[in-house]
Amino acid sequence: MSRFLLPAITILAGLLLIMLPLPSVAEPFRPDWVSMVVLYWAFAIPRRFGLLPAWIAGLLLDVAQGTLLGQHALALVVITAIALNMHQRVRVSPVLQQSLFVMFLLLLKQTLVLWISGISGRAPDDLWLYFSAPVVATIFWPLVFVILRDLRRRYALA
Amino acid sequence: MQPLFQNGGGLALRLVLLVTLSIATMVADHRGHYVEQVRSVLYTAITPLQYAASVPAMVTEWGASLLTTQRQLRQRVEQLERRNLRLNARQQKFETLLAENDRLRQLLDASAKREERVLVGQLLAVDLDPFRQQVIVNQGSRSGIFRGQPVIDATGVMGQVIQTGAFTATVLLISDPDHALPVQINRTGLRTIAAGTGEADRISLLYIPNSADIQVDDLVITSGLGGRFPANYPVARISAVERRPGRAFAAVTARPLANLDRSREVLMVWPDERQRSQAREIEVDPEGMPSFDQPATDPGMTPDSTATTPPDDTSTIIPDGELDASPDGDTASDPESSP
């Protein structure tokens, strides 16, 4: 039952967290919850969770954020492919090392999104602020990891 | 058992496929909005999430409204009543001016300009891309909202709709760096373009020569030249003019009149001429107004028609005056306002 349901629900929850209003000072630092959830499922159930769910999640992210349709989708597919390729090495490493790897992937994603923004003439001004979000996300990774792992075990998703 | 090392060529192939697909949709989206349907469907699909995300803000507001004291409420009602009185008084003058304007336009054989049809929308407290200036309103294509529709608030132009779902829509604000609006200076009629800067309290006016007659505090209004925004809506006030002798153009910045980062209620405007008949019906709807509307326009018509064709028209006009129970325009409005 929850083979597709649990990943779908958690991704939607991530989307909700992204749309939740924050004070405008904190807004640029908001971690990319959707990407983190997608990365978790790519590490945890790599055979079930392919690239297509990641792509759809990316499209939803595009629509929710008002960016070009396919912008986040492309970046998310690329980092998910890397995650799927490396999952055997990452899964056995401690959470702290995972965090660093996730930070690397999220920085890569942010760069890809920035490139596309630049090509279509919509690049943001403040790049330091722009790249701060993945760093903040790194701090939250252990929390996301623990919550999603517990959920996965409770619903016996191998 | 599953094999330990399994994902080989399939992954790369699918990656290439999806990346190509993404690039295709992006190009289509950027170039000609060919994927509008897809966007719209996805957008409608996440509408429940948009509403869910705005729940905390709604609850906070509701809680705050519960905690207001009766004294505060009474003060507010008094304040609003006073404001309403002031606006009504101004409206009286406006009605006569409108009638006069119509009459003059008829004399000039110009097409009459009417008010546009509007719809009130509420902003949803939802965050979008932090590096762009966008908001979400709770009206969508079900209420007839369309892409490119102008959005204003009580004090000025806010922006335009860039994405519609069935029940919600995204509005690009005039302060977004992507947004440019054809405007003119009210005092001199100088035409220019107002471009967003990414900050809610600053827009910049482009291509103004150093020698142009432009002063701080000048009112900037829409010129209607882009064909998207109706003309003569207030946009901003000039906040700084820096003439740069070495450059071709002056650096002019203005402060938007609309409360871009504070408004809760906005007005969606239909500038289309075809909507005129509908607009009139809606105009008459609010209570109290139609009785006021009629006598203000009717006496306005009488001198005009008597001036052009004296004998025939006066006979047809007299019954009209009898209905109002008063022979001429000035006294006709008196019994309306005295009770």
Side-chain angles (χ1 to χ4, degrees):
Chain A
M1 150 255 170
S2 51
R3 213 188 118 183
F4 296 111
L5 207 57
L6 189 61
I9 289 174
T10 48
I11 286 172
L12 287 182
L15 209 54
L16 181 65
L17 281 179
I18 276 190
M19 299 201 295
L20 217 57
L22 282 183
S24 54
V25 184
E27 235 181 283
F29 301 104
R30 182 203 304 269
D32 185 351
W33 300 108
V34 173
S35 302
M36 286 163 83
V37 172
V38 166
L39 284 180
Y40 174 81
W41 291 117
F43 289 141
I45 47 167
R47 293 198 178 78
R48 304 258 177 83
F49 193 85
L51 288 182
L52 197 62
W55 192 63
I56 294 170
L59 284 185
L60 288 177
L61 193 56
D62 278 325
V63 175
Q65 299 257 288
T67 45
L68 273 182
L69 196 67
Q71 193 168 350
H72 282 102
L74 187 148
L76 199 51
V77 162
V78 169
I79 64 165
T80 309
I82 296 173
L84 286 175
N85 210 20
M86 311 268 282
H87 77 271
Q88 277 149 339
R89 258 166 283 178
V90 179
R91 267 182 89 166
V92 293
S93 58
V95 178
L96 223 58
Q97 276 179 37
Q98 280 184 21
S99 299
L100 286 180
F101 189 60
V102 166
M103 178 166 84
F104 161 72
L105 288 180
L106 289 179
L107 281 172
L108 178 64
K109 173 177 178 262
Q110 204 80 334
T111 312
L112 287 171
V113 172
L114 180 69
W115 278 348
I116 299 167
S117 297
I119 290 170
S120 60
R122 300 173 175 181
D125 294 332
D126 202 338
L127 288 182
W128 285 110
L129 219 54
Y130 186 76
F131 282 109
S132 62
V135 180
V136 176
T138 316
I139 302 167
F140 281 100
W141 173 258
L143 185 72
V144 172
F145 178 79
V146 169
I147 291 174
L148 289 179
R149 188 188 58 192
D150 286 357
L151 278 174
R152 182 171 64 88
R153 285 189 181 155
R154 176 172 301 173
Y155 294 102
L157 219 61
Chain B
M1 233 11 243
Q2 293 162 327
L4 196 55
F5 301 101
Q6 168 214 32
N7 41 24
L11 186 67
L13 188 68
R14 275 178 297 156
L15 176 64
V16 170
L17 196 73
L18 285 177
V19 165
T20 319
L21 204 56
S22 304
I23 292 174
T25 54
M26 274 190 290
V27 170
D29 197 17
H30 187 57
R31 282 294 155 81
H33 315 297
Y34 298 115
V35 286
E36 194 52 36
Q37 293 293 326
V38 184
R39 265 202 103 102
S40 208
V41 167
L42 286 173
Y43 192 84
T44 309
I46 63 162
T47 298
L49 285 180
Q50 290 173 339
Y51 275 98
S54 67
V55 161
M58 281 186 211
V59 169
T60 324
E61 207 166 284
W62 179 71
S65 76
L66 280 188
L67 291 177
T68 49
T69 61
Q70 198 186 359
R71 220 188 78 211
Q72 279 171 324
L73 282 177
R74 197 177 296 157
Q75 267 177 359
R76 183 150 174 71
V77 167
E78 265 170 33
Q79 196 186 342
L80 287 175
E81 264 172 357
R82 246 175 295 156
R83 183 142 166 242
N84 193 25
L85 193 69
R86 217 169 29 232
L87 288 176
N88 265 343
R90 208 189 287 175
Q91 177 80 7
Q92 289 180 25
K93 215 191 260 175
F94 179 71
E95 296 287 349
T96 41
L97 279 177
L98 199 68
E100 186 181 312
N101 196 356
D102 269 2
R103 200 150 30 93
L104 290 172
R105 274 181 182 280
Q106 268 179 0
L107 286 178
L108 287 169
D109 262 350
S111 64
K113 288 262 159 75
R114 280 287 160 193
E115 297 102 90
E116 291 83 9
R117 184 182 144 210
V118 294
L119 180 72
V120 178
Q122 269 203 334
L123 296 193
L124 291 183
V126 174
D127 272 359
L128 295 148
D129 190 344
F131 297 97
R132 306 197 63 193
Q133 301 268 322
Q134 299 170 332
V135 290
I136 290 183
V137 291
N138 69 345
Q139 303 283 356
S141 50
R142 282 292 175 87
S143 343
I145 305 297
F146 57 92
R147 193 191 166 100
Q149 180 165 29
V151 179
I152 61 175
D153 79 350
T155 47
V157 172
M158 283 195 81
Q160 59 177 300
V161 174
I162 53 165
Q163 168 79 55
T164 59
F167 307 102
T168 49
T170 303
V171 176
L172 186 71
L173 299 178
I174 55 171
S175 54
D176 189 276
D178 259 3
H179 198 278
L181 178 68
V183 293
Q184 63 182 14
I185 311 296
N186 194 32
R187 186 171 57 85
T188 58
L190 177 74
R191 284 190 302 275
T192 136
I193 290 172
T197 58
E199 291 163 51
D201 57 350
R202 209 159 60 86
I203 56 177
S204 61
L205 301 183
L206 309 178
Y207 314 124
I208 295 184
N210 282 320
S211 57
D213 176 15
I214 186 166
Q215 296 164 4
V216 170
D217 230 30
D218 274 353
L219 181 67
V220 180
I221 60 174
T222 53
S223 65
L225 283 182
R228 193 162 274 192
F229 282 84
N232 301 330
Y233 274 111
V235 177
R237 270 190 194 283
I238 305 285
S239 55
V241 180
E242 187 203 336
R243 298 181 202 278
R244 300 176 293 188
R247 310 270 194 87
F249 300 112
V252 182
T253 54
R255 196 180 55 258
L257 289 171
N259 295 319
L260 294 181
D261 48 357
R262 290 186 298 278
S263 281
R264 291 278 296 143
E265 254 110 31
V266 298
L267 293 169
M268 326 288 292
V269 183
W270 277 263
D272 199 350
E273 286 286 303
R274 279 171 298 170
Q275 307 273 8
R276 245 162 48 181
S277 53
Q278 276 177 306
R280 279 204 168 164
E281 283 164 23
I282 286 180
E283 278 301 305
V284 176
D285 266 342
E287 71 286 350
M289 292 322 285
S291 62
F292 201 88
D293 212 27
Q294 289 310 109
T297 46
D298 276 349
M301 297 300 290
T302 46
D304 173 33
S305 37
T306 46
T308 45
T309 47
D312 283 0
D313 271 22
T314 37
S315 59
T316 55
I317 283 191
I318 288 164
D320 237 349
E322 281 173 353
L323 279 178
D324 281 343
S326 57
D328 66 48
D330 283 338
T331 47
S333 58
D334 277 341
E336 292 289 337
S337 51
S338 50

